[in-house]
Each structure stands twice: as C-alpha cells, then as structure tokens.
Amino acid sequence: MLLEDHADDSVLSTVIGVAKKAGELIAASWGQAKGFDCKDGHSTDLVTQTDRQVEQFIFERLKAFYPKHLFIGEEGVDEASVQLSDAPTWVVDPIDGTTNFIHNFDQTAISIALCVNKRAIVGVIYNPIRKELYYATQGGGAFLERYGNDAVRLTTSSTDDLKRSLVSIELGAAHGEADKLNEKWQNQMFPLLNHPIHGLRQLGAATMNFMAVARGCVEAYIESGLKPWDMAAGELIVREAGGVITMIDDENEPFRLTGKQVIASCNQQISQSIHRVLNSE
Ligand code: IPD
C-alpha cells in the first residue's frame, strides 16, 4: 500500500474540515463550568461528556469518507475501536488537555492522525479556542493557520545550545502517585533543573507541547506515559517542521507510536544534549 494513496491534499482538507466542525462543539461550552468523570477512579485523569461527543462526531464524519479504515480514539466511544496495526488507522484524541478544557485554560486541542504502518502520514491539531490549526503530511512540510489567516510554514528553533533553551516536561496524570512522580523527577526533571537551561514549562496538553516545538518557541518537549493519540499527529508535525523525535530510553532507537515516551527536539544538537543530560545523573 502506497503512502501517497493516503497522504494527499483531499485527505488533508477532509480532516481539516472535520476538525474545525468538531472544534465548534468544544468552543460551545468554553467559559462555562463543566462536569467530569475520573477515568478508572484516578482523580487526576479526567473525561467530560464533550470528549465523548467530539470523538463520536469525528468518527462518524471520517467513517463516511473512509469506511474501510480502522479507528482508535482516546475515549473508546466506538466498539470497533482497535489496537494499532499496520493498516490505515485514524488515531484521534477528541480533547487533548481535558483538564485544561475543564478549567477553561486555552491550551487544549483536537488531534487527528491517519497512520499507516504505525506512523502518522497526515496529522491535524486544532485548538478551537485560540483558532490555531496545525497540520502536516508526510514529506509535505508542516503549517500553521491562525485566525483564518493564510497558513505559514512551521520551522523549529535553530538554537543548538541547550543552555539557551526552553524545555517542556509534563507530569501527565502522575500527581499524587509517588512511584510515577519519583521516576519522572529522578530521570527527567531533576537532571534538567540541575542544568542551566533558560527554563522548564508544563502546558498541560501533549499536542500543545509538540506544537510549541514545531513553531520554534520551545526547544524540546519530554514526556513518558503517553498513548498513541497523544503523540500521533504531533510527532508528524514536529518532524515535518524539522524537529528530531527520539525515545527517552535510547536516542538510537527509532520512535514508536506505542512506545509511551518521547523527546521532541528542535534539532539533532539539542536532542543529543538532552539525552546527555538525562543520562549523566
Ligand atoms: C493528556 C495531556 C497531558 C499529558 C498526558 C495526556 P488528555 O491528554 O496531553 O498534558 O501530560 O500524558 O494523557 O487526557 O488530556 O487527552
């Protein structure tokens, strides 16, 4: 199966149309108090009715265009939702940064990726509150369209000195879970805090961290404990913006969507420096 069969402009414009429409569902409840449930009893892993509604909407729309493709969504609203395989599969996070959404903090986005051979070939991330649309196709570059203006090509930061870098690290849903926190603290945060970088950030949404790297305002983003829907579109967009994606454990191991961890760096030098710092403590 040829990648070109899938990563063409018509697929991209279909996904963009679906993402923008779905974004209206999120924007409709913006600024209001929202109810939520805790996933599997975890008080830090939240889901709202809007997450489920948006996922359902995206699945229905995309299935009408691509009935033979497979679908994976964070909220599992569809019984046909599957494990990631090599077949063309849509990987969807209806609201990435659900906690931000609940708190009306505008770092939240829809993430939709078409994956083939377990790697995204089309990726769209849409923040419906800031009206920022990020997209990429494999080999076609990465772009940002803001407030309906013409799209601009995205390029990662050219900084090659970690000491002049801003780095984002997410705790994810680890708050209050000592084992996970210890691991993140010891292996990621402490080594970086102990290194004179310009600063650490935590935006609360994997997609928004990836996009901060893609548009050049953050030099690297580090997180473990991620799921395919947190990474699929973001990884492609960063890669197409010129970034380097590696696994935290081993910088020589190719990125895997099922690998649960990522370092998204603006370039090879920063990637190597981050790996050196994380491995030196
Ligand atoms: C989460 C957010 C968060 C990240 C977690 C993700 P969700 O996604 O992206 O920033 O740290 O790892 O699971 O649950 O809001 O879709």
Side-chain angles (χ1 to χ4, degrees):
M1 185 169 299
L2 293 174
L3 297 184
E4 298 79 54
D5 293 344
H6 301 282
D8 64 13
D9 284 351
S10 74
V11 178
L12 181 63
S13 54
T14 300
V15 192
I16 288 175
V18 170
K20 283 187 172 174
K21 255 327 209 194
E24 291 173 16
L25 299 171
I26 296 174
S29 61
W30 196 251
Q32 297 167 20
K34 299 167 191 81
F36 57 84
D37 296 319
C38 299
K39 286 189 192 170
D40 301 324
H42 289 292
S43 64
T44 56
D45 195 1
L46 310 178
V47 60
T48 70
Q49 198 45 42
T50 313
D51 290 71
R52 300 185 187 104
Q53 192 190 1
V54 172
E55 184 168 303
Q56 185 93 51
F57 176 88
I58 293 170
F59 276 19
E60 277 171 16
R61 289 292 170 105
L62 288 177
K63 278 181 181 174
F65 286 99
Y66 310 106
K68 292 191 177 150
H69 287 181
L70 303 175
F71 287 80
I72 295 177
E74 177 175 16
E75 308 313 338
V77 294
D78 192 325
E79 284 175 7
S81 202
V82 292
Q83 293 292 313
L84 192 62
S85 71
D86 287 344
T89 304
W90 291 93
V91 179
V92 174
D93 191 339
I95 304 183
D96 180 50
T98 298
T99 306
N100 285 350
F101 169 66
I102 291 166
H103 288 265
N104 296 303
F105 177 42
D106 65 3
Q107 297 294 326
T108 185
I110 293 168
S111 180
I112 306 177
L114 174 58
C115 298
V116 175
N117 297 329
K118 301 192 186 74
R119 202 78 187 256
I121 56 168
V122 177
V124 169
I125 288 176
Y126 181 51
N127 179 329
I129 310 307
R130 297 171 67 89
K131 301 232 178 327
E132 291 173 350
L133 175 75
Y134 301 85
Y135 58 86
T137 52
Q138 182 163 277
F143 298 87
L144 165 61
E145 184 192 299
R146 246 179 174 159
Y147 302 107
N149 291 333
D150 286 348
V152 292
R153 196 165 182 140
L154 291 170
T155 319
T156 56
S157 163
S158 58
T159 305
D160 59 6
D161 182 356
L162 189 56
K163 289 191 181 140
R164 292 168 174 260
S165 296
L166 204 51
V167 176
S168 59
I169 295 195
E170 286 290 334
L171 290 174
H175 302 93
E177 289 190 48
D179 289 354
K180 287 186 192 166
L181 276 179
N182 283 341
E183 188 249 310
K184 285 184 190 241
W185 171 255
Q186 275 173 19
N187 300 339
Q188 299 161 22
M189 279 201 167
F190 186 73
L192 277 160
L193 283 171
N194 213 14
H195 195 81
I197 61 171
H198 274 180
L200 279 184
R201 297 291 180 270
Q202 183 174 208
L203 297 178
T207 48
M208 295 291 92
N209 288 302
F210 275 116
M211 294 308 92
V213 176
R215 57 181 224 261
C217 49
V218 160
E219 274 66 35
Y221 157 51
I222 304 171
E223 185 166 0
S224 52
L226 289 165
K227 300 282 176 29
W229 46 78
D230 297 314
M231 298 191 277
E235 185 265 340
L236 173 67
I237 297 170
V238 170
R239 202 173 1 122
E240 286 295 327
V244 173
I245 310 288
T246 56
M247 311 291 288
I248 298 175
D249 283 352
D250 180 356
E251 67 177 298
N252 299 313
E253 194 191 331
F255 171 78
R256 277 177 297 113
L257 208 40
T258 49
K260 299 189 174 174
Q261 39 151 327
V262 74
I263 301 179
S265 309
C266 60
N267 56 43
Q268 194 64 41
Q269 290 93 328
I270 293 294
S271 176
Q272 285 169 347
S273 301
I274 296 258
H275 278 284
R276 225 174 288 130
V277 168
L278 297 190
N279 289 319
S280 65
E281 305 306 307

